[in-house]
Amino acid sequence: MSASPESGPNPPDTDLSFSSTSSLESQANASDNNRCSHIREAMADGPSRAQIVTKYKAVISWTVNRTQDVLHPAKRRKISSPTCDVCELTLSRPFACLHCSFAGCWSNAHVGMHLKNEGHGFCVDVKSGSIFCGECDDFIYDATMDSIYLSTVVSAEEKQTKFQVKKKGREPFRPWIPSDKERVALEGTVALPCQGRRGLLNLGQTCFLNVVLQAFVHNPLLRNYFLSDKHNNQLCAKPPGCTSCEMDKLFAQIYSNSAIPHGPTSFLATTWRASAELSGYKQQDAHEFFISALNQIHNTSRGSTNVSCNCIIHSTFAGQLQSDVKCERCGNVTSTVDPMLDISLELKEKAGEVTSGENTLAACLRRYTQPEKLGAKEYSCGKCNKASHVSEASKRLSIRKLPPVLSFQFKRFEHKTTDKSSAQKIDAPVRFPASFNMAPYTTLVMNLKGKETERENERGGVPALSYPGPEAMYEYDLFAVINHEGQIDNGHYTNYARFQDEWYRFDDDKVTNSNLGACLNSPAYMCFYVKRHLDYKPDMTPTYVQTRENEAVREKELEKEKERARNKEVEDALLATV
Amino acid sequence: MPSKNDTEALYAQVQRKLVESGEWDRIQLILMNKLNESGWTDDLRHRSKENARDMEPLSFRVLLKGLAPHIQTSIPPAIRKEMMAVIRQYVEKQFE
């Protein structure tokens, strides 16, 4: 079990940003006119708030720990299982009162009756953390509690995670708390209303560029990086043609208070300069541009390296792919690990074919990680050493390291020859989910599958998961989809992207409200998923910043020396005249 | 012929064994994964969101009531069959 803690960029996880700053908290709640008045009152009173929050956190932590015990048991022990205080049924979905130790069923109004009878205000669905208000007789939303839910779950998960390097536990997430200087700076700022959603003008067959840029704009890690001013285009020393500067300018445009479509002309010009194949006003492949842009941003990032780079691109997209070649004769396995920025998946059909059954993302991934027999001439086993024989071997791919953002491309264009224009398009629809779990396709889990003990089957039950949890380490949520309609040389790209809970459709300059159903039914070419909960390395100053600071100190010293030397010369000269 | 009370008592006993052993949650995880891969989960997510969007005043009970018929009838038969088999296998082993 050698997976090391993943690196994440330093800005805090997208949803947790405001949990600690109380003035921003009350801002979030104050603007919600529909907020339940009962929770508002309860949270305004010190002791009442403390009691509710303490109970809530305890209940949520209990659930996360119980789930871990059930799915990934460290040792066999009896699972804590409360019963309903009204009907005594063992609770498969407990509702806990936030004011006393009562637990009960939702159905048959057992918990509802308790709230009424005892005059207690709130109870919580332990599984989802949803709070139910007895007075409103409905589930309610409170921004503070929502934020507490997330931080409690993440904290409990962090303690459970068994990926360890050198016996260290997982780095706990620390929310950003502004320093006094930062607080003053924040208070002096003026908030600009901005949508964060702007169309992009088509500059002549540039829809391929627009869809990839929208996928970047809606990528939470890229967004946080550039909005945190980590690559300021006005301070960058690079000559014109810095793609990272173009990204900074793009984010500034998108998050301005202009709602009219933006024309990404300088981004296009920089792309042409960087890559000859992508230049000229003709339709390009969006995936090709995507990979090229990633490389360009990486190249123009401060402190990027060729090996184990931690630039924003590698921090966001880089995973590791493991290829295991097994000799069928002696069982010897040779493994190689390669970096990957995205995954390209083959579809079941060939162009023009219609087969039964659907292409789903899961099925494509199963196909991708299926062992494949290597041709007789392709492999000779080092161990078997039958010089005259060439052994039979199989190759199997698996994901060794999961990146924070997973990008998938469905290979719809099969090139019959090297001439691109003779390629045919595979139009078969692919079904992909809004959320899913990558565990079954990871090296860790795939290697453990062979060794699973069958002990649970004696009791007729479902075996517990043999790989370490928590599940959130493997779970991803969809945030952008790039669509392609038409043929390879006569088609059009559009995209869907999600902001928090809402989906939008982007067709060059036209941005419209949309919904999950429309997105999932669209003809997908590329899909982008982000890990539900990120994991972090300890905060470190990047080496180039350290170097820069050391340089600055050294320069100051040198100046002082020069000053002293000059003064001494003047003194000596004066003395000489005496 | 078992009385209603007997059936209820048996149900409570089976439920208790399922929950206390953690089997309930493991079975539910399998069900959730199957439903997700079939697209059922996303379809429900979409329907509930769109129903809630235009509901005034928004109420969980009304939302649940409106979706209940669809939920009851839309579970793909193949998944229903597979899950029944899993549950049956466990219960039979427990009460042999």
Side-chain angles (χ1 to χ4, degrees), chain A residues 214-494:
Chain A
Q214 294 290 6
F216 285 162
V217 163
H218 289 85
N219 181 319
L221 281 84
L222 291 183
R223 179 197 67 207
N224 290 3
Y225 180 84
F226 286 100
L227 287 182
S228 312
D229 211 33
K230 295 261 179 174
H231 187 108
N232 188 317
N233 75 86
Q234 289 171 345
L235 299 178
C236 177
K238 297 228 167 44
C242 171
T243 311
S244 294
C245 285
E246 294 304 327
M247 286 288 280
D248 188 50
K249 287 193 273 181
L250 177 69
F251 275 97
Q253 284 295 328
I254 300 284
Y255 281 89
S256 70
N257 54 3
S258 168
I260 60 165
H262 165 64
T265 45
S266 63
F267 206 117
L268 186 65
T270 304
T271 304
W272 287 351
R273 217 182 267 122
S275 167
E277 298 107 53
L278 290 169
S279 62
Y281 284 110
K282 58 176 164 39
Q283 182 71 275
Q284 305 286 354
D285 179 6
H287 180 255
E288 213 177 295
F289 170 65
F290 169 68
I291 297 294
S292 167
L294 292 187
N295 284 318
Q296 288 312 311
I297 301 169
H298 154 79
N299 287 337
T300 54
S301 284
R302 197 68 192 275
S304 64
T305 56
N306 280 333
V307 179
S308 302
C309 176
N310 60 0
C311 73
I312 185 57
I313 294 301
H314 284 95
S315 299
T316 303
F317 294 97
Q320 288 179 336
L321 197 59
Q322 180 158 317
S323 167
D324 296 307
V325 178
K326 181 170 162 193
C327 171
E328 296 299 339
R329 207 185 292 270
C330 69
N332 182 41
V333 177
T334 332
S335 305
T336 39
V337 177
D338 287 307
M340 64 174 215
L341 288 175
D342 75 333
I343 301 180
S344 293
L345 298 168
E346 305 241 347
L347 299 174
K348 236 164 50 169
E349 290 85 5
K350 301 293 164 206
E353 233 178 55
V354 175
T355 53
S356 66
E358 291 179 295
N359 279 301
T360 64
L361 180 64
C364 289
L365 280 167
R366 280 192 286 268
R367 215 175 2 254
Y368 188 74
T369 54
Q370 185 86 285
E372 169 199 331
K373 280 227 165 1
L374 293 181
K377 296 214 161 71
E378 285 179 57
Y379 178 74
S380 59
C381 176
K383 210 170 179 201
C384 283
N385 250 341
K386 306 255 174 158
S388 52
H389 279 286
V390 177
S391 6
E392 260 190 17
S394 66
K395 177 171 106 162
R396 190 201 71 182
L397 293 176
S398 57
I399 314 294
R400 185 185 163 85
K401 178 175 165 177
L402 291 168
V405 172
L406 255 182
S407 315
F408 293 108
Q409 176 208 21
F410 300 111
K411 288 160 120 171
R412 293 191 173 285
F413 304 112
E414 59 173 5
H415 300 288
K416 293 225 155 68
T417 63
T418 47
D419 177 11
K420 273 191 194 166
S421 61
S422 71
Q424 283 219 295
K425 184 185 173 193
I426 306 171
D427 262 314
V430 183
R431 193 182 43 237
F432 49 95
S435 304
F436 83 119
N437 188 311
M438 276 295 283
Y441 318 105
T442 58
T443 314
L444 182 68
V445 175
M446 286 175 70
N447 285 347
L448 284 173
K449 260 202 170 54
K451 305 174 193 158
E452 223 161 54
T453 52
E454 297 294 325
R455 59 185 160 89
E456 279 298 335
N457 281 349
E458 301 154 11
R459 299 167 58 210
V462 175
L465 301 170
S466 48
Y467 58 89
E471 288 307 291
M473 296 282 288
Y474 307 91
E475 285 174 340
Y476 286 83
D477 297 315
L478 183 71
F479 69 88
V481 178
I482 290 179
N483 306 128
H484 183 270
E485 286 159 298
Q487 283 310 304
I488 188 173
D489 52 355
N490 181 21
H492 183 52
Y493 286 103
T494 55

Side-chain angles (χ1 to χ4, degrees), chain B residues 71-86:
Chain B
I71 295 170
Q72 302 287 8
T73 55
S74 62
I75 306 269
I79 294 180
R80 193 185 280 274
K81 198 166 153 207
E82 283 163 31
M83 295 314 299
M84 293 292 276
V86 171

